[in-house]
Amino acid sequence: MNLITPTIMLTIFLSLTMSITRTSMHTAKNNLMLLFILSLIPINHLLNNKELTMSSSPLIIMTTENINISITLDTLSLMFTPIALFITWSITEFSSWYMHTDPHSNKFIKYLLAFLITMLVIITANNMYQLFIGWEGVGIMSFLLIGWWSGRQDANTAALQAIIYNRIGDIGLIMTTLWLMTSTSINIQELLIQHETTNMIPTMGLLAAAMGKSAQFGLHPWLPSAMEGPTPVSALLHSSTMVVAGVFLLIRLHPIIYNNKTIMTISLIVGATTTMFAAAAASTHLDIKKIIALSTTSQLGLMMTMIGLNQPALAFLHMITHSFFKALLFLCSGSFIHNLNNEQDIRKMGGLLKTSPMTASFLTIANLSLIGTPFLSGFYSKDTIIETMTNSHTNSWTLIMTLVATILSAHYSTQIMLTTLTGYPRINHNTHKETKEIINPLTRLTITSILTGTMTKISTLQTTTIITMPKMIKFTALIATILGMVLSKDLSNMTSLLKPQKSNTPNLFFNQMAFFNIPHRTITINLMKMSQQISTELMDLWTLENWGPKGLSNTLKPMIHLSTQQKNMIKNYMTTFTLTTAISLLLVWT
């Protein structure tokens, strides 16, 4: 039985690699469906708490390390592989409709499959080299996919932005890998055994890498900009690949940071700030894809908070449930955008409940799951996260930030539903029918968005400890959600008939993803001016004066000083007079 799991994983990798070489949309979709069904078989091992590792013979033999290809098959990799395959299968089927007019649609699918493979490399990696290969792979693939419509300047800028922000985080991962290579081991299993001896440097590196990849506060502007890519790319990027890789890295290597209180506190603060800040930014936006993108940043902040609270299992649970409803949200918005002649502004949508009833229903379910409606999948992870935070010994600031973010996420989700689905149409619609290419993937994702939480709950065998808490504490998350929805509805009723107002300062501040202008405008301009000033002063004033023509002229003695002794110095005159007199007398006497 032990051989079955590794064989299935190898089959998945080989099939995906072969699919890239020669494939069409239809065959890729069928392949992914078969591989997803195949990847469900090893989950049986999880019920027995088995963990398998598969390694090749050493490829590079060094004095301290033997580098080989090593795959680990544990709870994290075996659970997340089917999810990644399932979501990619749905997105590929959706792409066959969304990208059918694109002349390079087959190339697009190959890129999506390569993206999936690099993510699977990260998930199953058992050493830091392998993880780094997958890590850089998802970065490169995101660059190619975000900049897919390379004729648009914004798409090129967004792709560059994504890769540059990720490189900032990657410096941390490279630093950690080098540290581990010199001091402990790059093999993850050996590394986790020796975790007591780890230092501040590798843990800081891991946190920086996760912040870059998972778009945490400070390194977040690339994520909303990445919406310039096609919608299927956004769906894959934000659900099961790329952005969750950062949080996945921290979950995988959690024993390293577990004892480091400083890093745990930083992770907690960064996560809470990101959650609140991204939710506030999403509330001010009007582009449907950017609202959903900032919502992803907000959810990633929640996962980061859980890692800071020493609950990696909860962070992983939220990552699983979030993958399904986020992919569904993006595909629904893609369906609307395509039907409305590529219109993304929610103010210009309306009445879509009548023209696209099924997609509208799916969007509603996805939004309800996102805000944590009881018994949908988001509820099981989001509610538990807030409960855990309420019962922990953490400071109340983090809890307040998270609850404010919960209210705001309920607000922007309700805003999307009210603005796009209800009311009257505010733009000329296309007459696209909801064909099976749209409905099939959306239906699948909707079913998983409803059932994942329940299935996870009934499938886990460990008995959880019963926590007693006051009723109000238990209902905190639900109260925050309902409050957000009610306030959003009231705000919508109050402002729908008002004429457009000029944005006030806080609104503008958040709308520009706050700090969007600081790294992209202020810092760059000031840095350029400063470097120009320094170089000018160094080159012109200092270098030229000391070593250039002026400096050279100061080193040369003027010719007059060599040809005459008339320097108005009396001792020179006396010396010359004495010498000439002495020489004259000598000559006369001889």
Side-chain angles (χ1 to χ4, degrees):
M1 190 64 185
N2 281 1
L3 283 172
I4 294 173
T5 306
T7 312
I8 287 171
M9 291 306 290
L10 282 176
T11 310
I12 289 168
F13 271 111
L14 288 170
S15 303
L16 286 171
T17 313
M18 286 165 69
S19 296
I20 290 176
T21 53
R22 188 184 300 158
T23 190
S24 65
M25 283 199 175
H26 185 67
T27 53
K29 180 196 77 175
N30 291 341
N31 283 353
L32 285 165
M33 180 182 68
L34 289 169
L35 292 176
F36 162 66
I37 293 163
L38 199 61
S39 69
L40 291 173
I41 298 168
I43 292 182
N44 290 329
H45 281 267
L46 290 184
L47 300 176
N48 304 323
N49 287 324
K50 286 188 177 178
E51 190 175 318
L52 296 167
T53 306
M54 183 170 52
S55 300
S56 69
S57 53
L59 301 176
I60 301 169
I61 299 171
M62 293 154 67
T63 47
T64 53
E65 293 280 356
N66 285 346
I67 299 168
N68 55 5
I69 296 168
S70 183
I71 290 175
T72 182
L73 303 171
D74 59 351
T75 311
L76 298 177
S77 52
L78 289 179
M79 275 292 284
F80 208 71
T81 303
I83 292 163
L85 286 164
F86 179 83
I87 289 169
T88 313
W89 164 34
S90 301
I91 289 168
T92 307
E93 190 170 351
F94 185 83
S95 302
S96 63
W97 169 76
Y98 194 87
M99 303 293 286
H100 77 280
T101 54
D102 196 293
H104 304 293
S105 54
N106 281 348
K107 185 181 174 186
F108 179 77
I109 293 298
K110 287 174 186 176
Y111 279 6
L112 285 185
L113 290 174
F115 203 5
L116 173 65
I117 290 169
T118 49
M119 187 62 199
L120 291 179
V121 168
I122 292 176
I123 292 165
T124 55
N126 196 31
N127 59 48
M128 293 302 284
Y129 281 128
Q130 216 167 306
L131 193 138
F132 187 68
I133 290 164
W135 191 266
E136 291 303 313
V138 287
I140 292 160
M141 292 319 299
S142 68
F143 172 76
L144 293 171
L145 285 164
I146 293 166
W148 178 257
W149 288 315
S150 52
R152 288 160 57 181
Q153 190 181 346
D154 282 354
N156 292 327
T157 312
L160 275 172
Q161 217 174 301
I163 209 156
I164 289 165
Y165 272 101
N166 276 296
R167 292 309 293 165
I168 297 167
D170 291 351
I171 293 165
L173 191 66
I174 294 165
M175 185 176 75
T176 303
T177 309
L178 288 173
W179 175 275
L180 295 173
M181 196 159 63
T182 51
S183 59
T184 62
S185 168
I186 54 158
N187 184 301
I188 288 174
Q189 286 172 331
E190 291 174 16
L191 175 64
L192 298 184
I193 295 166
Q194 303 172 23
H195 65 82
E196 298 291 338
T197 57
T198 50
N199 194 287
M200 191 74 181
I201 294 171
T203 50
M204 283 296 287
L206 286 178
L207 191 64
M211 281 176 70
K213 194 68 83 181
S214 289
Q216 295 300 299
F217 185 74
L219 297 175
H220 64 279
W222 72 268
L223 201 62
S225 303
M227 295 302 96
E228 292 298 330
T231 308
V233 173
S234 308
L236 191 58
L237 187 85
H238 285 250
S239 58
S240 57
T241 56
M242 187 70 176
V243 292
V244 295
V247 177
F248 188 87
L249 175 75
L250 292 184
I251 296 169
R252 166 74 81 206
L253 299 175
H254 190 260
I256 294 178
I257 60 171
Y258 167 72
N259 285 324
N260 196 323
K261 297 292 175 241
T262 314
I263 294 296
M264 296 293 270
T265 310
I266 294 170
S267 175
L268 188 68
I269 291 166
V270 165
T273 312
T274 308
T275 306
M276 201 288 298
F277 168 76
S283 303
T284 63
H285 268 276
L286 296 163
D287 180 323
I288 189 166
K289 279 178 75 178
K290 282 199 172 162
I291 296 171
I292 302 171
L294 284 160
S295 148
T296 304
T297 313
S298 184
Q299 300 306 312
L300 289 165
L302 262 185
M303 297 173 207
M304 201 64 139
T305 314
M306 276 300 100
I307 285 164
L309 264 187
N310 192 24
Q311 295 288 344
L314 267 184
F316 187 64
L317 175 65
H318 194 54
M319 190 197 293
I320 290 171
T321 55
H322 170 259
S323 295
F324 293 114
F325 60 71
K326 192 48 58 86
L328 178 58
L329 269 173
F330 269 112
L331 294 189
C332 289
S333 67
S335 172
F336 288 153
I337 289 163
H338 215 47
N339 282 341
L340 301 176
N341 300 314
N342 299 325
E343 182 53 65
Q344 290 181 207
D345 193 326
I346 58 170
R347 290 170 300 180
K348 294 181 183 175
M349 299 178 184
L352 289 167
L353 197 58
K354 301 284 190 293
T355 51
S356 310
M358 289 196 77
T359 312
S361 309
F362 297 149
L363 182 79
T364 309
I365 292 167
N367 269 319
L368 290 174
S369 188
L370 168 67
I371 63 180
T373 306
F375 312 116
L376 293 179
S377 66
F379 166 77
Y380 287 97
S381 52
K382 201 170 182 179
D383 200 73
T384 317
I385 283 173
I386 292 168
E387 263 180 39
T388 307
M389 208 178 294
T390 319
N391 288 306
S392 68
H393 295 290
T394 184
N395 53 27
S396 54
W397 177 84
T398 315
L399 179 63
I400 291 164
M401 289 289 106
T402 312
L403 288 174
V404 169
T406 308
I407 293 168
L408 287 167
S409 64
H411 162 64
Y412 62 69
S413 300
T414 313
Q415 210 62 36
I416 290 177
M417 290 189 282
L418 292 176
T419 319
T420 57
L421 307 181
T422 62
Y424 54 90
R426 292 183 279 272
I427 195 170
N428 290 331
H429 290 63
N430 278 344
T431 51
H432 280 309
K433 286 179 182 169
E434 293 182 310
T435 56
K436 64 177 184 180
E437 282 93 352
I438 313 168
I439 296 306
N440 286 353
L442 293 185
T443 310
R444 283 198 298 273
L445 286 168
T446 306
I447 292 165
T448 48
S449 295
I450 296 167
L451 295 178
T452 313
T454 319
M455 283 161 63
T456 313
K457 188 173 171 58
I458 60 173
S459 65
T460 48
L461 296 176
Q462 59 268 43
T463 52
T464 52
T465 51
I466 297 168
I467 303 167
T468 55
M469 61 185 103
K471 203 174 284 182
M472 284 307 289
I473 298 280
K474 181 77 179 164
F475 288 132
T476 311
L478 202 57
I479 292 164
T481 302
I482 293 165
L483 186 67
M485 291 179 82
V486 170
L487 290 174
S488 178
K489 181 81 173 75
D490 284 356
L491 185 73
S492 178
N493 288 343
M494 282 159 55
T495 56
S496 59
L497 299 174
L498 293 180
K499 60 182 181 182
Q501 307 252 325
K502 244 187 169 181
S503 280
N504 54 20
T505 311
N507 210 326
L508 267 174
F509 174 77
F510 282 116
N511 190 263
Q512 293 174 339
M513 274 81 72
F515 308 92
F516 184 82
N517 283 339
I518 293 174
H520 295 183
R521 300 281 183 276
T522 318
I523 292 174
T524 42
I525 288 167
N526 288 337
L527 196 66
M528 196 169 74
K529 281 183 179 173
M530 188 172 74
S531 49
Q532 187 182 9
Q533 194 178 357
I534 291 169
S535 62
T536 307
E537 285 180 5
L538 280 175
M539 291 293 292
D540 289 6
L541 303 176
W542 183 73
T543 315
L544 291 178
E545 287 204 9
N546 282 309
W547 306 106
K550 281 187 181 179
L552 203 62
S553 70
N554 290 337
T555 57
L556 296 172
K557 285 274 183 195
M559 287 303 289
I560 191 163
H561 288 173
L562 299 175
S563 60
T564 180
Q565 288 297 315
Q566 305 300 326
K567 292 181 183 176
N568 295 334
M569 292 179 74
I570 193 78
K571 56 182 183 183
N572 280 7
Y573 296 158
M574 287 302 294
T575 309
T576 311
F577 174 73
T578 310
L579 281 172
T580 48
T581 308
I583 291 164
S584 302
L585 283 170
L586 279 170
L587 288 170
V588 168
W589 284 343
T590 53

